[in-house]
Amino acid sequence: PSTGSMTRWLALITNEQKGKKKVISPCQSICRLDTNDVCEGCGRTKKEIRDWMIYSDKRRRVIMDRLLKSTAE
């Protein structure tokens, strides 16, 4: 994912829902998989994209932390 999209991501990582913060999808609507099956838009793997809706918020945060760290490098 591009560094420019990080600001948007930080604003979208959590969404207030019934007083509880919920991790939302980092999708950037640039849905193209590279040769390693990693999305060029959001940086998630094909499996992470497929299973996002069934992941717990804890698992989603782990993925988001990895994505944010990878763009900081």
Side-chain angles (χ1 to χ4, degrees):
S2 69
T3 306
S5 64
M6 282 300 101
T7 303
R8 182 169 173 257
W9 274 16
L10 292 172
L12 295 176
I13 289 173
T14 58
N15 182 19
E16 294 294 331
Q17 188 176 48
K18 295 183 182 176
K20 180 182 175 189
K21 290 186 177 182
K22 185 159 182 68
V23 180
I24 61 174
S25 173
C27 180
Q28 300 291 301
S29 296
I30 305 170
C31 306
R32 287 187 304 266
L33 297 177
D34 65 14
T35 57
N36 295 313
D37 279 341
V38 174
C39 180
E40 294 177 6
C42 68
R44 292 178 293 170
T45 66
K46 184 177 180 179
K47 181 182 182 333
E48 290 169 341
I49 294 166
R50 183 190 68 219
D51 295 342
W52 188 260
M53 294 304 292
I54 61 172
Y55 283 155
S56 67
D57 275 351
K58 182 177 180 180
R59 178 69 181 128
R60 290 177 182 184
R61 281 188 185 91
V62 168
I63 294 166
M64 292 301 294
D65 286 346
R66 186 194 80 233
L67 297 174
L68 290 169
K69 286 177 186 171
S70 72
T71 59
E73 295 174 347

